Amino acid sequence: MVRLRPFRAGDEVHVAAWGKDPEVVRHYFGRRTLAEVEGPLVELRAAGGRIVRAFESAEGELLGWVELRNIAWRSGAAELRICIGRRDRWGMGYGTAAVRAILAEAAARRLRHVHLRVALWNQRAIASYRKCGFRAQAVLRAGRRRAEGMEDLMLMTVDLASQAFVTQSVV
Ligand SMILES: CC(C)(COP(=O)(O)OP(=O)(O)OC[C@H]1O[C@@H](n2cnc3c(N)ncnc32)[C@H](O)[C@@H]1OP(=O)(O)O)[C@@H](O)C(=O)NCCC(=O)NCCS
């Protein structure tokens, strides 16, 4: 349903447009702007602490990106973030497919534990993560400060060793 691939020349235009959509920025867990994936969208190699993948539909439409960050190779742990930049593509199953695909890559690279933080109000994201095997571990009251005020967060984790992930091809 989705294909993961490295960012490539030309993607910057789309990422910049997504960063100008206030609803996308409000939902995304990262910084208030999407600056951290702007600039040269070079793929960071697995030897580093971050794997960033763009993902596109079967028709080749760029939809968003998914990443593993703060990777601790020795302990096998990493944090997941995802953003579908096209708001009109939310709720169509793409996010769940992209998360499953990067978890398959994480498992293939012998990572064992993936965690994430999500705003408690972001029920679409939580439902999607649950379908991928993530389970709630804790609620962090007032865990994050945003322009709108303090926000409660949910910490979710998945144990890759206990899940069967189908490895998908990554270009
Ligand atoms: C979060 C995100 C990756 C999810 O991907 P998606 O393709 O939209 O989600 P999916 O269609 O795969 O799954 C969403 C599920 O949530 C359900 N859902 C949607 N709105 C919901 C709501 N308000 N409450 C509960 N469940 C809801 C859908 O029914 C669907 O479940 P189903 O397939 O069992 O019916 C995507 O919406 C996104 O990138 N949003 C913007 C950025 C963001 O929120 N990132 C995550 C920050 S932690």
Side-chain angles (χ1 to χ4, degrees):
M1 187 173 186
V2 297
R3 201 173 69 99
L4 302 193
R5 64 162 174 79
F7 275 114
R8 59 184 180 225
D11 291 341
E12 294 92 334
V13 183
H14 300 281
V15 175
W18 301 338
K20 291 190 179 110
D21 182 332
E23 271 301 279
V24 172
V25 173
R26 189 173 74 86
H27 280 74
Y28 177 57
F29 190 84
R31 299 180 196 175
R32 292 202 61 78
T33 72
L34 305 183
E36 64 187 315
V37 293
E38 288 173 358
L41 295 174
V42 290
E43 185 189 11
L44 299 165
R45 294 274 159 205
R50 194 173 176 212
I51 298 172
V52 185
R53 305 278 185 223
F55 60 90
E56 57 187 27
S57 66
E59 295 74 35
E61 178 185 51
L62 182 63
L63 299 169
W65 78 91
V66 60
E67 68 173 301
L68 296 170
R69 54 192 290 126
N70 299 324
I71 301 175
W73 292 105
R74 197 167 286 185
S75 62
E79 179 177 3
L80 181 137
R81 284 195 189 162
I82 182 166
C83 188
I84 298 178
R86 290 278 306 272
R87 209 181 338 149
D88 58 347
R89 297 293 186 265
W90 291 357
M92 300 172 75
Y94 292 123
T96 301
V99 169
R100 285 184 176 141
I102 198 124
L103 290 182
E105 183 173 355
R109 291 178 185 274
R110 300 186 184 281
L111 291 177
R112 293 194 297 272
H113 312 284
V114 177
H115 72 275
L116 60 85
R117 290 166 292 165
V118 55
L120 209 50
W121 55 259
N122 196 345
Q123 290 296 316
R124 182 189 299 105
I126 291 170
S128 168
Y129 296 144
R130 286 189 60 78
K131 285 195 287 181
C132 297
F134 283 92
R135 294 292 174 262
Q137 296 299 333
V139 170
L140 314 171
R141 296 286 171 209
R144 181 169 62 156
R145 184 195 299 275
R146 305 217 94 181
E148 299 83 9
M150 300 304 285
E151 214 169 58
D152 294 343
L153 301 182
M154 181 179 279
L155 174 69
M156 303 183 82
T157 62
V158 64
D159 178 3
L160 298 181
S162 68
Q163 307 274 330
F165 290 99
V166 181
T167 307
Q168 301 196 4
S169 62
V170 176
V171 179

